[in-house]
Amino acid sequence: MITPTRLTRTALSTALTLALLPLTSQAAPSRAAAYFERVATFPVYRNLGADEDASKQTVAEITAVSRDGRTLIYTDSPGERIGLVDIRDPKNPQPAGFVQLEGEPTSVAVHQHYALVAVNTSLSFAQPDGVLAVFDIRNPAQPKRVATLPMGGQPDSIAISPRGRYGAVAIENERDEDRNDGLLPQLPAGYLRIVDLKGQPSRWQTRDVDLTGLADIAPNDPEPEYVSINDHDIAAVTLQENNHVVLVDLRRGRVLRHFSAGQVDLEGVDVEENDRIQPVGVLKDKRREPDAIAWVGPLVATANEGDYEDADGETGGSRGFTLFDYTGQVWHDAGVSLEHAFIRAGHYPESRSENKGIEPEGIASASFRQQDFLFVGSERGNAVAVYDVARPWAPVMHQLLPTGMGPEGILPIPSRNLLVVSSEEDSAEDGYRSTLSIYQYGASKANYPEIRSTDRDLIPWGALSGLVADRTQADRLYAVPDSYYKASRIFNIDTSKTPAVIDGQIELRKAGKTVDYDLEGIAQAGNGDFWLASEGNGKAKPNLLIRASANGEVLAEYALPKDVAAQQTSNGFEGVSVVGEGTSTRVYVAFQREWKNDPAGKVRIGVFNPSSGEWGFVHYPLDAAPEGAWVGLSELTSIGNGQFLVIERDNQQGPAAEVKRLYRIDLSGIQPVAEGQAFPLVNKRLERDLLPELKSTGGWVLDKVEGAAVDKLGRLFVVTDNDGVEDASGETRFMRLGTVKR
């Protein structure tokens, strides 16, 4: 728990006196803090037994750690069990098995050598019930159940007081969202259950604290969501749907204070799901509706997810976090700053714009080497923001950490300089799995993001699918997004900075109107014009080569001849390159996968002559695909003298990823031929296996390695496509891979 810092504001000092929170210590002066660095990602399906189907859904939602910091315990609600992971070596976590339960685990905490698991055993929403299952975990390989305490209702969050005197369980008795449109009240009401942790678990006593009659919204039906306890045994409890915060004296078992979480006005947010990130909207009087809560010195911080729509159709979702004092006075509100940070990092989920944007859900605080931090997790943005809270009323963003999909639990482990984030989204069919991300504190710099947009302007970006270097400037690249976003554009990238900075954008226009291409490749002609490859779908949307001026005006579109276009079966144009000037100009385009008349394992590269309109083709031999996968091309980059770099990749991610390779081909002595003839076959030479670099940051290996560029100095850059943060983590790798011999 963060050491309380002496504050000067009279109002807060008075409130803290009332709260029995004397500010008796002065926080250490803030020093240059180190950074968190991801060292491992553990997919929790690895905990499945040898006789279980590896595609079975299994999730990690809330995580706790044993007293010695060596074993993680996480809740797996679909499997009605808790999972254990051995992190003696945090860079190489190992599965440690499951413990089956009688219902759905909702939360877990550790007290001494016991794991306390809140278990929902409700028969229905109208008949909520649950227990607190207590396990002796001195031998983590064989947890032993030593007590079962009835909770009298459906438990949600559980917390242990820092001094180990009390446990507190939020008995939510959650509403049925399908009943009466999910409106409150829906009795029975929730409450807080205190567990007196005295003696053996079988002898622990419980007490209840009534939370009715406090909130303005549905006062007779409080739904406590999350609980956090400070050094003075005061529990802070969120009533999310009631938009309320309650402070409870655990020793006396009574409410000390309570206050509304209030509303917030937001300017500069995206409020329309139109396949464009347009942070220009205004939201007024949005209820904060806090989910997780954490003590930050003498203040409480709430993650304001927003989760409830009332009878008037009003919803929460303030897209940030807030720090309150004991009286409910707001000392800091993130406003739009958190969401804008996610936009700049490419982590904004446009598909959630009409709802709750990035949806902050998890929050935690801790001190690492006398540095005070607040961690705020975004359920939809798939990242955790780390704030320096040396002055808790004025948090300063320290770094952003990429996570798996749907980060829920945030677990600081200061004793081992570790942070663990559990991400609960799991779908083997779609290629992503629930994970535990492990970060170590002590890095000299922040490794993520590797690319972001400038602080000067708010430039939204994502789904980068093609990359090219400027022909004259050594530190200038251009990138394009694919069809995930409408209003196609070209991003300007400054590589002289780390992270690389998107410092401008060029909106493509045709006859004065925006255009919606599926851009998969970009090249630059000698006169500064751009050549772009737009992928077709084999139906109404054709594959196109597009020539655009340096300011984004579409000058011409070139489609494939009809007899060629008729061969398309699936994936079309990908990377594009242009060589030569004037009548000697040739545009090269990579086709991602085989078409109808292509032999298996051979994909075409097209060569277009803009002066004559003629097309010719060669065949490129693909590597063998892993079982159940496919392999195709993603990029084509000219490096001079008829030589090109080609990205060849499979469609697999995580541990299943095998083929992420950069090959070199030489087309200088090969004559492309027209459709209907036998295409010449090119030879390829492995330039670099990209898989080690993709694994080097300890994350989930990304599947879509999409863009490559070689600048004037011969430096190689490779970028991944984050799929617009939809059914994807949103992480973008912008890899600097040394120099390439031309």
Side-chain angles (χ1 to χ4, degrees):
M1 185 62 62
I2 292 177
T3 302
T5 305
R6 185 177 301 278
L7 306 181
T8 58
R9 292 192 181 185
T10 303
L12 182 58
S13 298
T14 301
L16 295 180
T17 299
L18 290 173
L20 302 178
L21 294 177
L23 301 179
T24 57
S25 61
Q26 180 76 23
S30 180
R31 300 175 298 176
Y35 294 88
F36 292 87
E37 178 182 28
R38 185 176 54 196
V39 295
T41 296
F42 179 83
V44 297
Y45 76 82
R46 286 186 56 198
N47 241 342
L48 292 169
D51 58 340
E52 293 184 274
D53 183 354
S55 65
K56 180 179 180 179
Q57 185 186 30
T58 177
V59 309
E61 186 175 9
I62 302 298
T63 306
V65 66
S66 59
R67 187 167 54 173
D68 62 9
R70 296 182 176 185
T71 304
L72 298 177
I73 307 105
Y74 64 87
T75 60
D76 176 4
S77 58
E80 296 191 344
R81 53 194 177 183
I82 55 171
L84 295 96
V85 179
D86 180 346
I87 59 166
R88 283 176 291 184
D89 179 0
K91 296 181 180 179
N92 187 28
Q94 294 298 312
F98 288 108
V99 176
Q100 201 65 42
L101 302 166
E102 62 267 50
E104 173 192 6
T106 57
S107 187
V108 60
V110 168
H111 168 62
Q112 297 178 354
H113 53 266
Y114 299 112
L116 286 67
V117 186
V119 184
N120 177 12
T121 60
S122 301
L123 296 175
S124 67
F125 289 103
Q127 297 175 286
D129 201 3
V131 300
L132 187 64
V134 185
F135 294 88
D136 186 325
I137 55 172
R138 279 176 288 192
N139 179 2
Q142 293 182 315
K144 180 182 179 182
R145 189 160 185 163
V146 293
T148 302
L149 282 64
M151 290 289 101
Q154 173 255 314
D156 197 340
S157 168
I158 179 173
I160 306 297
S161 63
R163 292 188 285 184
R165 294 178 177 177
Y166 308 104
V169 184
I171 306 299
E172 183 179 14
N173 291 346
E174 63 183 345
R175 62 196 166 98
D176 181 354
E177 295 186 25
D178 295 325
R179 175 187 167 197
N180 194 25
D181 294 325
L183 297 178
L184 297 182
Q186 291 186 23
L187 301 180
Y191 51 91
L192 185 72
R193 176 153 289 192
I194 301 170
V195 183
D196 295 311
L197 304 176
K198 186 177 181 180
Q200 295 300 309
S202 60
R203 300 176 65 86
W204 290 347
Q205 301 296 308
T206 62
R207 297 173 283 138
D208 292 344
V209 179
D210 182 11
L211 302 177
T212 61
L214 305 180
D216 292 331
I217 298 171
N220 63 332
D221 185 18
E223 291 198 7
E225 188 83 19
Y226 211 93
V227 59
S228 176
I229 307 171
N230 70 6
D231 290 333
H232 299 270
D233 295 332
I234 296 175
V237 185
T238 56
L239 314 183
Q240 184 172 22
E241 285 78 8
N242 311 88
N243 196 39
H244 215 72
V245 175
V246 182
L247 303 181
V248 175
D249 180 345
L250 297 179
R251 183 170 68 88
R252 296 182 176 89
R254 64 180 180 87
V255 172
L256 283 174
R257 284 288 184 98
H258 63 92
F259 51 86
S260 169
Q263 294 81 32
V264 65
D265 295 337
L266 302 173
E267 294 186 10
V269 290
D270 190 351
V271 296
E272 185 179 357
E273 292 171 17
N274 59 354
D275 300 326
R276 297 182 65 178
I277 303 175
Q278 296 175 301
V280 296
V282 176
L283 296 173
K284 293 289 188 181
D285 296 325
K286 301 303 291 184
R287 294 194 302 266
R288 292 189 172 95
E289 294 185 357
D291 190 334
I293 192 167
W295 286 96
V296 185
L299 305 179
V300 288
T302 60
N304 304 327
E305 180 192 20
D307 192 45
Y308 180 62
E309 180 175 323
D310 65 19
D312 297 322
E314 292 296 321
T315 60
S318 61
R319 308 186 181 207
F321 66 94
T322 307
L323 285 114
F324 299 93
D325 70 14
Y326 173 74
T327 69
Q329 179 183 347
V330 173
W331 283 67
H332 175 84
D333 189 276
V336 297
S337 65
L338 180 62
E339 189 150 284
H340 285 188
F342 275 67
I343 289 174
R344 288 187 169 94
H347 274 262
Y348 181 75
E350 201 285 324
S351 63
R352 300 294 297 177
S353 292
E354 289 180 3
N355 291 296
K356 295 165 280 187
I358 62 171
E359 293 187 41
E361 182 171 13
I363 202 163
S365 67
S367 294
F368 286 78
R369 299 179 185 172
Q370 296 185 320
Q371 296 292 330
D372 298 341
F373 293 109
L374 179 68
F375 307 92
V376 185
S378 163
E379 181 184 10
R380 301 292 179 172
N382 300 335
V384 169
V386 183
Y387 286 85
D388 182 331
V389 285
R391 298 187 304 159
W393 58 93
V396 176
M397 183 173 283
H398 186 62
Q399 66 180 124
L400 197 69
L401 300 174
T403 69
M405 288 181 57
E408 176 83 14
I410 303 175
L411 174 66
I413 312 175
S415 64
R416 296 198 62 199
N417 282 318
L418 298 177
L419 173 73
V420 177
V421 177
S422 45
S423 301
E424 64 177 334
E425 293 297 323
D426 186 83
S427 174
E429 181 180 356
D430 296 311
Y432 55 84
R433 306 307 302 264
S434 174
T435 61
L436 294 170
S437 300
I438 303 174
Y439 312 83
Q440 197 161 44
Y441 182 66
S444 60
K445 62 181 181 180
N447 312 347
Y448 192 84
E450 296 174 335
I451 183 170
R452 67 186 299 273
S453 61
T454 177
D455 287 325
R456 184 184 66 247
D457 303 305
L458 187 59
I459 302 177
W461 64 276
L464 301 183
S465 57
L467 198 64
V468 71
D470 188 273
R471 283 178 173 259
T472 60
Q473 301 179 67
D475 295 318
R476 176 64 55 188
L477 303 182
Y478 304 98
V480 289
D482 63 23
S483 62
Y484 187 84
Y485 300 108
K486 290 183 177 178
S488 299
R489 61 200 59 231
I490 298 169
F491 294 116
N492 304 332
I493 303 172
D494 180 359
T495 63
S496 69
K497 300 179 175 64
T498 302
V501 175
I502 297 173
D503 58 7
Q505 58 183 330
I506 304 165
E507 192 170 69
L508 295 177
R509 290 186 172 269
K510 182 179 178 182
K513 296 182 179 180
T514 61
V515 286
D516 301 327
Y517 295 124
D518 185 4
L519 298 181
E520 296 288 350
I522 179 172
Q524 189 184 41
N527 66 352
D529 285 356
F530 292 106
W531 282 88
L532 307 160
S534 178
E535 185 176 20
N537 58 11
K539 298 177 182 176
K541 190 174 185 178
N543 290 279
L544 293 175
L545 285 178
I546 301 143
R547 185 165 65 91
S549 68
N551 64 7
E553 183 65 28
V554 173
L555 304 175
E557 295 178 339
Y558 303 94
L560 287 166
K562 289 184 179 179
D563 60 336
V564 179
Q567 303 300 321
Q568 182 170 2
T569 55
S570 57
N571 313 54
F573 284 179
E574 284 289 319
V576 63
S577 277
V578 58
V579 299
E581 304 284 346
T583 58
S584 66
T585 298
R586 296 294 182 270
V587 184
Y588 294 77
V589 60
F591 292 56
Q592 187 163 61
R593 296 175 64 188
E594 305 97 322
W595 283 13
K596 289 178 184 176
N597 56 355
D598 293 324
K602 295 180 175 61
V603 66
R604 61 180 69 197
I605 293 175
V607 184
F608 176 64
N609 182 342
S611 297
S612 66
E614 295 177 341
W615 283 85
F617 302 93
V618 299
H619 266 139
Y620 175 98
L622 294 169
D623 287 350
E627 184 178 353
W630 56 258
V631 167
L633 304 185
S634 279
E635 181 66 292
L636 183 68
T637 304
S638 172
I639 54 175
N641 298 322
Q643 295 189 56
F644 297 81
L645 296 180
V646 177
I647 289 180
E648 191 174 339
R649 69 169 180 88
D650 58 23
N651 63 334
Q652 301 298 294
Q653 53 183 301
E658 292 184 22
V659 181
K660 314 291 181 189
R661 296 168 187 154
L662 190 70
Y663 283 99
R664 181 189 292 249
I665 60 173
D666 189 342
L667 300 181
S668 59
I670 297 180
Q671 182 62 43
V673 300
E675 181 70 24
Q677 303 181 46
F679 300 162
L681 185 65
V682 305
N683 293 317
K684 65 182 185 179
R685 188 181 81 217
L686 182 65
E687 183 76 17
R688 182 167 308 200
D689 185 354
L690 301 175
L691 203 54
E693 179 61 28
L694 289 166
K695 292 179 177 180
S696 67
T697 60
W700 184 255
V701 175
L702 306 173
D703 60 332
K704 293 190 174 181
V705 188
E706 292 278 300
V710 179
D711 71 4
K712 272 191 66 176
L713 302 179
R715 296 175 299 186
L716 172 64
F717 302 87
V718 173
V719 73
T720 61
D721 175 355
N722 74 353
D723 275 338
V725 205
E726 185 167 356
D727 290 337
S729 70
E731 181 173 350
T732 297
R733 293 295 315 279
F734 185 81
M735 297 175 281
R736 303 170 188 253
L737 300 177
T739 57
V740 170
K741 184 178 180 181
R742 294 185 180 275

mmCIF file of all heavy atoms in Angstrom, residues 501-523:
data_model
loop_
_atom_site.group_PDB
_atom_site.id
_atom_site.type_symbol
_atom_site.label_atom_id
_atom_site.label_comp_id
_atom_site.label_asym_id
_atom_site.label_seq_id
_atom_site.Cartn_x
_atom_site.Cartn_y
_atom_site.Cartn_z
ATOM 1 N N VAL A 501 7.307 8.299 -34.475
ATOM 2 C CA VAL A 501 6.187 9.208 -34.279
ATOM 3 C C VAL A 501 5.423 9.428 -35.582
ATOM 4 O O VAL A 501 6.016 9.818 -36.601
ATOM 5 C CB VAL A 501 6.671 10.561 -33.728
ATOM 6 C CG1 VAL A 501 5.509 11.552 -33.634
ATOM 7 C CG2 VAL A 501 7.314 10.378 -32.355
ATOM 8 N N ILE A 502 4.138 9.152 -35.546
ATOM 9 C CA ILE A 502 3.244 9.529 -36.646
ATOM 10 C C ILE A 502 2.949 11.010 -36.460
ATOM 11 O O ILE A 502 2.230 11.403 -35.536
ATOM 12 C CB ILE A 502 1.952 8.700 -36.623
ATOM 13 C CG1 ILE A 502 2.272 7.217 -36.844
ATOM 14 C CG2 ILE A 502 0.969 9.198 -37.680
ATOM 15 C CD1 ILE A 502 1.080 6.289 -36.676
ATOM 16 N N ASP A 503 3.536 11.850 -37.307
ATOM 17 C CA ASP A 503 3.441 13.291 -37.098
ATOM 18 C C ASP A 503 2.598 14.004 -38.145
ATOM 19 O O ASP A 503 2.549 15.235 -38.188
ATOM 20 C CB ASP A 503 4.835 13.918 -37.020
ATOM 21 C CG ASP A 503 5.676 13.662 -38.259
ATOM 22 O OD1 ASP A 503 5.146 13.106 -39.240
ATOM 23 O OD2 ASP A 503 6.867 14.033 -38.241
ATOM 24 N N GLY A 504 1.944 13.241 -39.004
ATOM 25 C CA GLY A 504 1.065 13.857 -39.998
ATOM 26 C C GLY A 504 0.294 12.786 -40.744
ATOM 27 O O GLY A 504 0.587 11.585 -40.646
ATOM 28 N N GLN A 505 -0.714 13.233 -41.497
ATOM 29 C CA GLN A 505 -1.497 12.302 -42.296
ATOM 30 C C GLN A 505 -1.991 12.997 -43.549
ATOM 31 O O GLN A 505 -2.203 14.217 -43.563
ATOM 32 C CB GLN A 505 -2.673 11.739 -41.498
ATOM 33 C CG GLN A 505 -3.616 12.775 -40.954
ATOM 34 C CD GLN A 505 -4.723 12.161 -40.102
ATOM 35 O OE1 GLN A 505 -5.142 11.035 -40.327
ATOM 36 N NE2 GLN A 505 -5.197 12.892 -39.109
ATOM 37 N N ILE A 506 -2.140 12.208 -44.599
ATOM 38 C CA ILE A 506 -2.621 12.710 -45.879
ATOM 39 C C ILE A 506 -3.900 11.965 -46.201
ATOM 40 O O ILE A 506 -3.880 10.738 -46.390
ATOM 41 C CB ILE A 506 -1.583 12.476 -46.994
ATOM 42 C CG1 ILE A 506 -0.233 13.096 -46.628
ATOM 43 C CG2 ILE A 506 -2.092 13.020 -48.322
ATOM 44 C CD1 ILE A 506 0.908 12.596 -47.484
ATOM 45 N N GLU A 507 -5.016 12.653 -46.223
ATOM 46 C CA GLU A 507 -6.290 12.004 -46.534
ATOM 47 C C GLU A 507 -6.431 11.872 -48.038
ATOM 48 O O GLU A 507 -6.241 12.846 -48.781
ATOM 49 C CB GLU A 507 -7.444 12.818 -45.958
ATOM 50 C CG GLU A 507 -8.772 12.084 -45.970
ATOM 51 C CD GLU A 507 -9.842 12.819 -45.172
ATOM 52 O OE1 GLU A 507 -10.271 13.896 -45.627
ATOM 53 O OE2 GLU A 507 -10.237 12.326 -44.107
ATOM 54 N N LEU A 508 -6.723 10.671 -48.504
ATOM 55 C CA LEU A 508 -6.901 10.444 -49.932
ATOM 56 C C LEU A 508 -8.262 10.963 -50.377
ATOM 57 O O LEU A 508 -9.276 10.736 -49.709
ATOM 58 C CB LEU A 508 -6.784 8.956 -50.254
ATOM 59 C CG LEU A 508 -5.411 8.322 -50.013
ATOM 60 C CD1 LEU A 508 -5.463 6.832 -50.293
ATOM 61 C CD2 LEU A 508 -4.344 8.982 -50.849
ATOM 62 N N ARG A 509 -8.256 11.646 -51.521
ATOM 63 C CA ARG A 509 -9.505 12.192 -52.059
ATOM 64 C C ARG A 509 -9.569 11.974 -53.566
ATOM 65 O O ARG A 509 -8.569 12.071 -54.263
ATOM 66 C CB ARG A 509 -9.633 13.685 -51.746
ATOM 67 C CG ARG A 509 -9.876 13.941 -50.259
ATOM 68 C CD ARG A 509 -10.148 15.407 -49.946
ATOM 69 N NE ARG A 509 -10.547 15.558 -48.557
ATOM 70 C CZ ARG A 509 -11.799 15.520 -48.122
ATOM 71 N NH1 ARG A 509 -12.781 15.338 -48.990
ATOM 72 N NH2 ARG A 509 -12.089 15.654 -46.848
ATOM 73 N N LYS A 510 -10.787 11.679 -54.012
ATOM 74 C CA LYS A 510 -11.048 11.485 -55.434
ATOM 75 C C LYS A 510 -12.180 12.424 -55.820
ATOM 76 O O LYS A 510 -13.282 12.335 -55.260
ATOM 77 C CB LYS A 510 -11.438 10.031 -55.691
ATOM 78 C CG LYS A 510 -11.697 9.692 -57.153
ATOM 79 C CD LYS A 510 -12.055 8.216 -57.270
ATOM 80 C CE LYS A 510 -12.377 7.841 -58.691
ATOM 81 N NZ LYS A 510 -12.766 6.412 -58.803
ATOM 82 N N ALA A 511 -11.874 13.346 -56.714
ATOM 83 C CA ALA A 511 -12.848 14.370 -57.104
ATOM 84 C C ALA A 511 -13.379 15.116 -55.882
ATOM 85 O O ALA A 511 -14.570 15.420 -55.785
ATOM 86 C CB ALA A 511 -14.000 13.746 -57.894
ATOM 87 N N GLY A 512 -12.486 15.345 -54.921
ATOM 88 C CA GLY A 512 -12.847 16.133 -53.743
ATOM 89 C C GLY A 512 -13.491 15.362 -52.615
ATOM 90 O O GLY A 512 -13.744 15.927 -51.552
ATOM 91 N N LYS A 513 -13.755 14.056 -52.820
ATOM 92 C CA LYS A 513 -14.419 13.259 -51.788
ATOM 93 C C LYS A 513 -13.467 12.193 -51.239
ATOM 94 O O LYS A 513 -12.590 11.711 -51.947
ATOM 95 C CB LYS A 513 -15.673 12.589 -52.356
ATOM 96 C CG LYS A 513 -16.742 13.573 -52.805
ATOM 97 C CD LYS A 513 -17.971 12.838 -53.321
ATOM 98 C CE LYS A 513 -19.052 13.819 -53.751
ATOM 99 N NZ LYS A 513 -20.269 13.116 -54.263
ATOM 100 N N THR A 514 -13.688 11.832 -49.964
ATOM 101 C CA THR A 514 -12.872 10.770 -49.381
ATOM 102 C C THR A 514 -13.179 9.439 -50.060
ATOM 103 O O THR A 514 -14.251 9.252 -50.649
ATOM 104 C CB THR A 514 -13.130 10.633 -47.869
ATOM 105 O OG1 THR A 514 -14.514 10.304 -47.659
ATOM 106 C CG2 THR A 514 -12.777 11.918 -47.128
ATOM 107 N N VAL A 515 -12.234 8.521 -49.971
ATOM 108 C CA VAL A 515 -12.383 7.213 -50.603
ATOM 109 C C VAL A 515 -12.154 6.127 -49.560
ATOM 110 O O VAL A 515 -11.446 6.331 -48.573
ATOM 111 C CB VAL A 515 -11.386 7.047 -51.766
ATOM 112 C CG1 VAL A 515 -11.814 7.865 -52.959
ATOM 113 C CG2 VAL A 515 -9.978 7.432 -51.331
ATOM 114 N N ASP A 516 -12.767 4.972 -49.790
ATOM 115 C CA ASP A 516 -12.674 3.857 -48.850
ATOM 116 C C ASP A 516 -12.033 2.660 -49.552
ATOM 117 O O ASP A 516 -12.716 1.802 -50.099
ATOM 118 C CB ASP A 516 -14.063 3.473 -48.329
ATOM 119 C CG ASP A 516 -14.759 4.621 -47.631
ATOM 120 O OD1 ASP A 516 -14.068 5.437 -47.012
ATOM 121 O OD2 ASP A 516 -16.001 4.702 -47.719
ATOM 122 N N TYR A 517 -10.715 2.638 -49.551
ATOM 123 C CA TYR A 517 -9.978 1.529 -50.137
ATOM 124 C C TYR A 517 -9.606 0.519 -49.049
ATOM 125 O O TYR A 517 -9.610 0.827 -47.859
ATOM 126 C CB TYR A 517 -8.683 2.024 -50.789
ATOM 127 C CG TYR A 517 -8.857 2.943 -51.977
ATOM 128 C CD1 TYR A 517 -8.267 4.205 -51.983
ATOM 129 C CD2 TYR A 517 -9.562 2.552 -53.104
ATOM 130 C CE1 TYR A 517 -8.383 5.054 -53.076
ATOM 131 C CE2 TYR A 517 -9.701 3.390 -54.206
ATOM 132 C CZ TYR A 517 -9.107 4.641 -54.185
ATOM 133 O OH TYR A 517 -9.233 5.471 -55.261
ATOM 134 N N ASP A 518 -9.230 -0.677 -49.486
ATOM 135 C CA ASP A 518 -8.633 -1.653 -48.580
ATOM 136 C C ASP A 518 -7.130 -1.651 -48.857
ATOM 137 O O ASP A 518 -6.601 -2.530 -49.539
ATOM 138 C CB ASP A 518 -9.232 -3.035 -48.801
ATOM 139 C CG ASP A 518 -8.721 -4.058 -47.794
ATOM 140 O OD1 ASP A 518 -7.958 -3.667 -46.889
ATOM 141 O OD2 ASP A 518 -9.072 -5.239 -47.917
ATOM 142 N N LEU A 519 -6.449 -0.641 -48.350
ATOM 143 C CA LEU A 519 -5.042 -0.445 -48.681
ATOM 144 C C LEU A 519 -4.174 -1.480 -47.969
ATOM 145 O O LEU A 519 -4.228 -1.618 -46.753
ATOM 146 C CB LEU A 519 -4.603 0.963 -48.303
ATOM 147 C CG LEU A 519 -5.334 2.101 -49.031
ATOM 148 C CD1 LEU A 519 -4.800 3.445 -48.581
ATOM 149 C CD2 LEU A 519 -5.205 1.943 -50.546
ATOM 150 N N GLU A 520 -3.367 -2.174 -48.765
ATOM 151 C CA GLU A 520 -2.476 -3.206 -48.229
ATOM 152 C C GLU A 520 -1.020 -2.950 -48.586
ATOM 153 O O GLU A 520 -0.138 -3.676 -48.122
ATOM 154 C CB GLU A 520 -2.895 -4.583 -48.745
ATOM 155 C CG GLU A 520 -4.267 -5.035 -48.288
ATOM 156 C CD GLU A 520 -4.318 -5.406 -46.810
ATOM 157 O OE1 GLU A 520 -3.251 -5.500 -46.181
ATOM 158 O OE2 GLU A 520 -5.431 -5.592 -46.281
ATOM 159 N N GLY A 521 -0.757 -1.955 -49.411
ATOM 160 C CA GLY A 521 0.615 -1.666 -49.787
ATOM 161 C C GLY A 521 0.759 -0.240 -50.256
ATOM 162 O O GLY A 521 -0.199 0.377 -50.735
ATOM 163 N N ILE A 522 1.980 0.300 -50.110
ATOM 164 C CA ILE A 522 2.275 1.659 -50.532
ATOM 165 C C ILE A 522 3.698 1.715 -51.069
ATOM 166 O O ILE A 522 4.601 1.054 -50.551
ATOM 167 C CB ILE A 522 2.085 2.664 -49.368
ATOM 168 C CG1 ILE A 522 2.426 4.086 -49.820
ATOM 169 C CG2 ILE A 522 2.883 2.262 -48.130
ATOM 170 C CD1 ILE A 522 2.087 5.154 -48.790
ATOM 171 N N ALA A 523 3.885 2.487 -52.144
ATOM 172 C CA ALA A 523 5.202 2.724 -52.724
ATOM 173 C C ALA A 523 5.266 4.182 -53.142
ATOM 174 O O ALA A 523 4.230 4.852 -53.280
ATOM 175 C CB ALA A 523 5.449 1.802 -53.914
#
